[in-house]
């Protein structure tokens, strides 16, 4: 089945540690996105990528980094510079500029130890 | 910038209709969406409507759009306990790589 796979489902970060969240899609979608969700709030855009080897900052990129070396993969690194990383992280993808539908993975819950 | 607003909570009795409301500010919005999120899961696209439409119906779901007032609503007929979830309204503009602006979500609770 085609879809978006996020791993791990749960992740714990120690102080000063960088952690990487995985996002893989087999939908052959061009564009991929990372959102952060906090309780009682909408989704906020962290980074997005329209094409391999290119990505843009979203509204809350500080403390995060991404790479897009392959079309199907868009990993997100939460660096130690992100002082409040506890949140639910959602990866999404869509076909391209002509496709308005955004599809989501099942999310990763990141917590600080 | 763009803003999308929703009320945070809604409770209905099983079998009744639910109406979830949303307002948005971006007059250039091309598409408006409704997503459903169950606990600990990602967002599932329920339905969407083009900004040149007034209404869209899909089985138990009816979307109404008042473009003049920038008001969107989602009506769920014969609400079931399985409809309990968070519902997100979102708006987007065709050709915009940044994609969607989301509301804060409405927690729908269906009471037996």
């Amino acid at each position: 089945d085609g879809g978006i796979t996020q791993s791990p489902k749960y992740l714990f970060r120690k102080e000063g540690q960088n952690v990487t969240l995985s996002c893989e899609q087999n939908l052959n979608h061009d564009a991929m996105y990372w959102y952060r969700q906090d309780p009682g709030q909408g989704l906020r855009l962290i980074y997005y990528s329209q094409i391999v080897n290119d990505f843009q900052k979203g509204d809350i990129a500080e403390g995060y980094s991404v790479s897009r070396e392959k079309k199907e993969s868009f990993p997100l690194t939460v660096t130690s510079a992100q002082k409040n990383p506890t949140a639910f992280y959602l990866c999404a993808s869509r076909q391209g500029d002509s496709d308005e539908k955004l599809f989501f993975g099942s999310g990763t819950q990141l917590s600080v130890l | 910038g763009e803003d999308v607003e929703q009320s945070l909570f809604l409770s209905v009795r099983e079998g009744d209709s639910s109406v979830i409301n949303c307002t948005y500010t971006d007059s250039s919005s091309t598409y408006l969406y409704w997503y459903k999120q169950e606990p600990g899961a990602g967002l599932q696209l329920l339905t969407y409507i083009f900004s040149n439409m007034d209404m869209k119906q899909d089985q138990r779901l009816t979307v109404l759009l008042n473009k003049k007032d920038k008001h969107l609503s989602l009506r769920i007929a014969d609400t079931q306990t399985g409809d309990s979830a968070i519902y997100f309204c979102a708006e987007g503009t065709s050709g915009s790589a940044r994609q969607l602006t989301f509301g804060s979500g409405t927690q729908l609770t269906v009471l037996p």
Side-chain angles (χ1 to χ4, degrees), chain B residues 25-82:
Chain B
T25 59
D26 188 358
S27 57
S28 66
S29 297
T30 312
Y31 306 99
L32 295 126
Y33 306 80
W34 285 105
Y35 281 86
K36 176 183 180 182
Q37 185 182 35
E38 296 184 5
L43 274 67
Q44 172 194 354
L45 178 63
L46 284 178
T47 186
Y48 63 97
I49 189 169
F50 295 105
S51 59
N52 61 358
M53 298 170 63
D54 298 324
M55 185 183 84
K56 181 178 180 180
Q57 187 156 2
D58 184 3
Q59 298 183 331
R60 292 191 296 123
L61 305 179
T62 303
V63 178
L64 295 177
L65 175 60
N66 181 329
K67 194 173 181 180
K68 174 176 171 291
D69 294 337
K70 299 190 184 68
H71 182 268
L72 182 74
S73 68
L74 173 69
R75 179 178 180 269
I76 305 173
D78 187 26
T79 312
Q80 303 297 308
T81 54

Side-chain angles (χ1 to χ4, degrees), chain A residues 9 33 37 42 50 59 100 102, chain B residues 33 35 37 40 48 97-98:
Chain A
K9 180 70 175 174
Y33 303 80
Q37 183 180 20
Q50 293 180 269
D59 300 317
E100 67 282 354
L102 197 61
Chain B
Y33 306 80
Y35 281 86
Q37 185 182 35
Y48 63 97
R98 285 179 54 86

Side-chain angles (χ1 to χ4, degrees), chain A residues 55-98:
Chain A
F55 48 83
Q56 288 76 40
K57 293 181 179 180
D59 300 317
I60 55 165
E62 186 174 351
Y64 300 97
S65 66
V66 293
S67 62
R68 188 84 187 277
E69 297 176 2
K70 298 186 294 183
K71 185 176 184 179
E72 59 269 25
S73 179
F74 191 42
L76 173 74
T77 296
V78 184
T79 74
S80 57
Q82 173 50 248
K83 297 306 179 188
N84 184 23
T86 297
F88 192 53
Y89 291 85
L90 286 159
C91 179
S93 71
R94 67 168 179 159
Q95 180 60 46
D97 286 348
S98 62

Side-chain angles (χ1 to χ4, degrees), chain A residues 3-41:
Chain A
I4 302 172
T5 302
Q6 289 188 241
S7 62
K9 180 70 175 174
Y10 301 96
L11 187 58
F12 297 91
R13 193 191 90 166
K14 296 179 181 177
E15 290 286 337
Q17 186 181 41
N18 293 351
V19 292
T20 298
L21 284 62
S22 171
C23 178
E24 303 277 333
Q25 54 98 0
N26 60 5
L27 301 168
N28 199 34
H29 284 177
D30 294 317
M32 298 186 74
Y33 303 80
W34 274 105
Y35 289 91
R36 170 179 171 142
Q37 183 180 20
D38 294 280
Q41 297 189 32

